[in-house]
Amino acid sequence: MTETPITNLLDLDREGLVEFFAGRGEKSFRASQLMQWIYGHGVSDFGAMTNISKGLRNKLQDCAVIRLPEIAADSLSEDGSRKWLLRLEDGNCIEAVYIPEAERGTLCVSSQVGCVLNCSFCSTARQGFNRNLTTGEIIAQVWIAAQALGQTLDGPRYISNIVMMGMGEPLLNYDNVVRAMGIMLDDFGYGLSKRRVTLSTAGVVPAIGRLQADCDVSLAVSLHAPDDLLRNELVPLNRKYPIRELLQACRDYVGEGRRRVTFEYVMLDGVNDSDRHARQLARVLEGVPAKINLIPFNPFPDTRYKRSPDARIDRFFEILNRAGIVTITRRTRGDDIDAACGQLAGQFMDRTRRRARNQLKVEVGRT
Ligand code: SAH
């Protein structure tokens, strides 16, 4: 006798669940019912799904699970931000961070264990790349945070915004990220508007085009330098997709509407933070519907970079502002718990995948 494969229901979006139920002779409304239990009520046990018949609950017990990572650590920063270290089934760990602000609560979600991109100022890069997260592992970060924060269907919505800005390059795990974002947007999932879900990319140009067609959430791009020479050094992916192509993809992404792309720019002392860089940045962004997010560099052990002094950041900000570009300086949050941008580290079980990253380096170098 062959065993029925066990499906983790967190891996399926609404469409996937409809198919799952259809394949078992069940009506399609079961999909939204299940989603409301899982995401709306935060239930992970079929036994508690009281409006589902006993017969169907038993059937689900046999062929499905709602499998969540284990919370390996839960740290609270002095400023109220909170970080969860989550242990996946294979022993790898990832991190998710919650940042409460006056008007919103933002959850920063990881898309991969490690990263292949090797940006020189990012601590995730130090680890190399291990693997893509499944859809279930991505959406589970939201589930776990929502539960830990005590979010309920009719209570306050603690998680009002989600940013795909944790560990990894989301556009290199395209299908799983898009499926998970589908659940974030679904009325029976987390019901967030596209404006409140942001994907941040180092600039995987062909995938930006696809994203516009598949799930056009808000787009953030890690620019960090106004010219290719410097950007090649900071974000090696730039050798494959240089600034001109990247900015064209950004213009196409937002089209004629009122939306803007957010450009992230990490402030590195003496590297990319001079007046000249600021003026050059304003020039290259001419004609691109842009907002700029200046991120003071967050240091980590053994890095060669330093954070730009506050006065330098202010001056850089002024130049962009005067050039008419909406600019904000991102306040560092959660650095006492290593939860700030670029500090997410997680933990790997298997370090041999470093090879995958080196392979990409070769590929990038070749083009
Ligand atoms: N791979 C995606 C998602 C990571 S998002 C991307 O590159 O956009 C994390 C953001 O934090 C990116 O803008 C990244 O460039 C920035 N970042 C990385 N390391 C940092 C550091 N040490 N200090 C400040 N920002 C950093």
Side-chain angles (χ1 to χ4, degrees), residues 108-109 111-112 115 117 119-125 164-171 199-204 220-224 231 235 263-268 293 295-300 303 305 307 330 332 340-344:
C108 178
V109 169
S111 59
Q112 299 182 312
C115 189
L117 291 182
C119 298
S120 57
F121 52 86
C122 178
S123 78
T124 305
M164 298 299 307
M165 285 188 194
M167 300 166 61
E169 168 49 52
L171 292 184
L199 180 143
S200 177
T201 178
V204 187
V221 168
S222 296
L223 193 59
H224 305 317
R231 193 161 190 270
V235 183
F263 291 94
E264 292 150 294
Y265 197 99
V266 63
M267 298 299 291
L268 303 168
N293 225 327
I295 316 175
F297 171 66
N298 293 306
F300 49 88
T303 175
Y305 297 111
R307 176 181 300 186
R330 200 185 280 173
T332 292
C341 302
Q343 293 187 324
L344 299 190

Side-chain angles (χ1 to χ4, degrees), residues 8-12 39 67-69 133-141 176 180:
N8 183 6
L9 297 186
L10 298 180
D11 282 327
L12 306 178
Y39 305 109
R67 194 188 305 118
L68 293 148
L133 295 183
T134 62
T135 302
E137 288 165 340
I138 298 168
I139 204 66
Q141 297 170 58
N176 293 339

Side-chain angles (χ1 to χ4, degrees), residues 180-251:
M181 292 194 306
I183 300 171
M184 296 170 196
L185 302 178
D186 195 300
D187 285 342
F188 292 99
Y190 290 102
L192 295 173
S193 79
K194 284 193 288 194
R195 227 167 21 90
R196 291 178 176 276
V197 175
T198 301
L199 180 143
S200 177
T201 178
V204 187
V205 165
I208 294 177
R210 273 180 80 192
L211 188 68
Q212 207 245 4
D214 292 337
C215 188
D216 62 338
V217 293
S218 301
L219 183 68
V221 168
S222 296
L223 193 59
H224 305 317
D227 68 78
D228 284 322
L229 206 63
L230 181 56
R231 193 161 190 270
N232 286 345
E233 187 190 308
L234 301 177
V235 183
L237 182 67
N238 193 70
R239 293 183 220 150
K240 197 161 186 174
Y241 305 116
I243 293 177
R244 232 161 64 95
E245 286 177 33
L246 176 57
L247 295 183
Q248 186 55 48
C250 291
R251 272 191 291 263

Side-chain angles (χ1 to χ4, degrees), residues 89-340:
E89 241 192 322
D90 62 3
N92 284 309
C93 287
I94 51 161
E95 293 180 328
V97 178
Y98 179 67
I99 307 138
E101 288 170 290
E103 305 280 305
R104 62 181 164 203
T106 304
L107 186 70
C108 178
V109 169
S110 294
S111 59
Q112 299 182 312
V113 185
C115 189
V116 292
L117 291 182
N118 210 19
C119 298
S120 57
F121 52 86
C122 178
S123 78
T124 305
R126 290 287 168 94
Q127 312 221 346
F129 174 68
N130 190 285
R131 70 170 173 86
N132 280 332
L133 295 183
T134 62
T135 302
E137 288 165 340
I138 298 168
I139 204 66
Q141 297 170 58
V142 188
W143 193 97
I144 287 173
Q147 287 311 108
L149 295 165
Q151 184 163 296
T152 58
L153 257 188
D154 17 75
R157 191 189 272 206
Y158 295 109
I159 301 173
S160 66
N161 294 60
I162 296 178
V163 292
M164 298 299 307
M165 285 188 194
M167 300 166 61
E169 168 49 52
L171 292 184
L172 292 181
N173 182 14
Y174 188 88
D175 292 338
N176 293 339
V177 164
V178 166
R179 210 174 295 124
M181 292 194 306
I183 300 171
M184 296 170 196
L185 302 178
D186 195 300
D187 285 342
F188 292 99
Y190 290 102
L192 295 173
S193 79
K194 284 193 288 194
R195 227 167 21 90
R196 291 178 176 276
V197 175
T198 301
L199 180 143
S200 177
T201 178
V204 187
V205 165
I208 294 177
R210 273 180 80 192
L211 188 68
Q212 207 245 4
D214 292 337
C215 188
D216 62 338
V217 293
S218 301
L219 183 68
V221 168
S222 296
L223 193 59
H224 305 317
D227 68 78
D228 284 322
L229 206 63
L230 181 56
R231 193 161 190 270
N232 286 345
E233 187 190 308
L234 301 177
V235 183
L237 182 67
N238 193 70
R239 293 183 220 150
K240 197 161 186 174
Y241 305 116
I243 293 177
R244 232 161 64 95
E245 286 177 33
L246 176 57
L247 295 183
Q248 186 55 48
C250 291
R251 272 191 291 263
D252 295 343
Y253 190 87
V254 291
E256 297 298 314
R258 281 181 303 145
R259 295 202 299 173
R260 289 174 210 225
V261 174
T262 300
F263 291 94
E264 292 150 294
Y265 197 99
V266 63
M267 298 299 291
L268 303 168
D269 187 25
V271 175
N272 65 352
D273 64 348
S274 70
D275 288 4
R276 182 180 60 83
H277 289 119
R279 286 193 297 266
Q280 210 180 344
L281 180 60
R283 247 194 335 270
V284 294
L285 289 180
E286 245 170 60
V288 183
K291 279 188 289 205
I292 296 179
N293 225 327
L294 299 179
I295 316 175
F297 171 66
N298 293 306
F300 49 88
D302 298 329
T303 175
R304 65 187 135 119
Y305 297 111
K306 287 206 301 266
R307 176 181 300 186
S308 309
D310 286 348
R312 183 91 297 274
I313 300 179
D314 292 347
R315 170 85 186 135
F316 203 90
F317 174 96
E318 262 316 303
I319 294 174
L320 295 170
N321 219 11
R322 249 188 260 135
I325 306 182
V326 178
T327 304
I328 63 157
T329 304
R330 200 185 280 173
R331 230 163 23 101
T332 292
R333 299 289 301 264
D335 54 354
D336 54 335
I337 54 168
D338 286 342

